[in-house]
Amino acid sequence: MKQFLNFIGGEFVATGRTFDNRAPVDDRVLGQVHEAGAAEVDAAVRAARAALDGEWGRMPVARRVELLHAVADEINRRFDDFLQAEMADTGKPHALASHVDIPRGAANFKVFADMVKNVPTESFEMTTPDGGQALNYALRSPVGVIGVVCPWNLPLLLMTWKVGPALACGNTVVVKPSEETPATATLLGEVMNAVGIPPGVYNVVHGFGPGSAGEYLTRHAGVNAITFTGETRTGEAIMAAAAQGVRPVSFELGGKNAGIVFADADFEQAVAGITRSAFENCGQVCLGTERVYVERPIFERFVSALKAKAEALKPGPSEDPGVGIGPLISREHQQKVLGYYDKAVKDGATVVTGGGVPKMAGALAEGHWVQPTIWTGLPESAAVIREEIFGPCCHIAPFDSEDEAIALANATDYGLATTVWTRDLGRAHRVARRVEVGICWINSWFLRDLRTPFGGAKASGIGREGGVHSLEFYTELRNVCVKL
Ligand code: NAD
């Protein structure tokens, strides 16, 4: 049976306290994860500090950049190992893992390594009170040991999205991957050793949140800053932990994203786009669309077209050719999503399609499957319109004006992403300016340029990562003033 070990100071560490890692497609046990206790978390933080005070801390930027390129190259060389590990852990379709998760996992190291090479800092000459001169310039230093707490939906991609810039800026990291998806973070330890990243620069501790590795890490006084992606409620707990020592946080949290489809949109493009944004990764994407607002003249036609697309998504295991949708991550999450499916019916929804569990043959019947589901007819106060479900489902409602669509899209505590579908350029820009979100896609979804700011407004996050914006969190900006 596979053993998922912690990675501390360049060595794989067993703890003997294990829990099962299960495959979402059929619930079989894939391996044993070794849970880190307070002692292992402490050892990982100490190893990270020692690396900062040692070779890594003294390494010239050019060498750091070279090593991070080597990390990306080694991920690409072992592409299939990462692909198999990610597919086993998440059950996601091969096409998605091979086109998005793993390539982005590698790219995250190159993009940020190149960025630190090229970003200048400011300088100001000044006249001093005695008529002399002084020169001010800014320096960026690493913040220190960064605690990185990750979710399970895009395990390698979202983890390296933080580890890439953190290391590029000269920090060291202790990563706490999701308890559901330990595999690729562990594998990355092998990559770090293979390319010669000094021991202690990248550490991994496995376990859960409260009373386990997540809480021990975020409460550890040796962690200088915490970057977290996950649920808003977990963010609140981590923020409380970070308050001890007034440590900075960067949060990418939940969403309840709206898609706005105007009657003048390219109809087929809009249907294809909302199909992806509602159902891709079995709806387990923070940027996904769970609320769709469609201008009344095309409402009925849009609902029928999306229904046809949802029903054409074939559920199946990752390697099955033609598979359109994988399972949810866990039995617990499946029960949560099905609970929302029941709630929608109780609240009086019209179930356009789905609402249950698809029939799967043989061992797959044990997997965490749910049907892609579409509702109409609910009031905006309904739970499935207010709360993040994180499943392959959406509610579709009609609207009559641009103002109404914007008001509906903004009527949520969250503010992560919106998609707008229209051929009217002026309207596209007007709506983009007024929706209260961190990212607004026009006639597209999940089109990512890694140089752009990424993050959420309102309860969807704190801070922005991506491109030079990552420098704000991962470096300490200092002023040096030289009296000449
Ligand atoms: P989660 O909050 O349950 O768990 C995320 C991580 O936090 C896990 O590693 C978990 O073990 C850890 N954790 C839980 N409680 C903790 C605590 N008290 N202290 C320290 N660590 C703790 O999230 P999830 O279910 O893994 O992921 C789904 C959520 O992530 C959704 O809400 C989704 O919207 C969000 N998400 C957001 C983004 C974004 O960029 N905004 C991206 C992906 C996912």
Side-chain angles (χ1 to χ4, degrees), residues 217-284:
L217 178 63
T218 51
R219 289 201 177 279
H220 198 295
V223 170
N224 302 106
I226 301 166
T227 175
F228 165 71
T229 299
E231 285 187 29
T232 298
R233 238 177 319 151
T234 310
E236 289 171 349
I238 292 179
M239 204 166 180
Q244 279 297 325
V246 206
R247 294 166 303 155
V249 294
S250 172
F251 283 171
E252 295 177 353
L253 306 176
K256 189 69 188 178
N257 311 304
I260 304 174
V261 184
F262 287 96
D264 70 354
D266 177 325
F267 187 80
E268 296 307 325
Q269 190 190 43
V271 171
I274 298 283
T275 303
R276 277 188 65 220
S277 71
F279 306 127
E280 192 160 283
N281 209 34
C282 201
Q284 303 165 114

Side-chain angles (χ1 to χ4, degrees), residues 149-153 158 176-179 207-210 214-215 218 228-232 234 237-238 252-255 286 388 390 416 454 460:
V149 183
C150 308
W152 41 257
N153 58 332
L158 289 174
K176 211 299 277 171
S178 167
E179 53 273 35
F208 305 87
E215 184 178 340
T218 51
F228 165 71
T229 299
E231 285 187 29
T232 298
T234 310
I238 292 179
E252 295 177 353
L253 306 176
C286 54
E388 182 186 47
F390 224 53
L416 192 52
F454 181 86
S460 288

